[in-house]
Amino acid sequence: MKSIRFDIEKNLKANYGISHEEYDAILTKQKGGCAICADKWIEGTKYFAVDHDHNTGLVRGILCGSCNIALGLLKDDKAIIIQMLTYINKKVSIL
């Protein structure tokens, strides 16, 4: 029977080119939390996602599920993200 750690290690290496130790080092550098919102990973919960540049394949950091999904929905598009920031900073009401 394979260990969960073996499966995680295999996935990290195959998909992102990093080891479990490198994953842990990135998470430690991020003070144990998501690179965007800083939510902390809690022992026994699902692993945080490895965020990577879809064009280069380079790892950018480790994200919580919510931030990873949000970034994916925004298609990693800086223009959309900036437009969204502009939108939420508006102080006007349409009513």
Side-chain angles (χ1 to χ4, degrees):
M1 184 169 167
K2 290 188 289 185
S3 72
I4 292 172
R5 177 154 176 118
F6 174 80
D7 288 340
I8 292 167
E9 181 82 31
K10 186 176 169 187
N11 178 52
L12 289 172
K13 202 51 114 170
N15 292 325
Y16 309 108
I18 64 172
S19 67
H20 196 279
E21 288 73 22
E22 289 168 313
Y23 176 97
D24 288 343
I26 294 166
L27 196 55
T28 298
K29 186 176 180 182
Q30 294 175 193
K31 297 180 175 51
C34 173
I36 295 175
C37 73
D39 275 357
K40 301 294 183 199
W41 178 75
I42 300 167
E43 185 75 35
T45 62
K46 185 177 178 185
Y47 266 56
F48 276 5
V50 176
D51 177 50
H52 65 288
D53 183 308
H54 289 263
N55 294 320
T56 66
L58 296 176
V59 172
R60 294 186 286 218
I62 308 294
L63 302 180
C64 70
S66 296
C67 288
N68 189 50
I69 289 168
L71 196 56
L73 290 172
L74 295 170
K75 303 172 189 159
D76 291 359
D77 187 320
K78 292 174 189 164
I80 293 172
I81 295 167
I82 291 168
Q83 187 60 35
M84 185 173 277
L85 286 170
T86 301
Y87 174 79
I88 65 171
N89 284 321
K90 284 184 181 181
K91 302 223 190 278
V92 243
S93 172
I94 61 169
L95 300 177

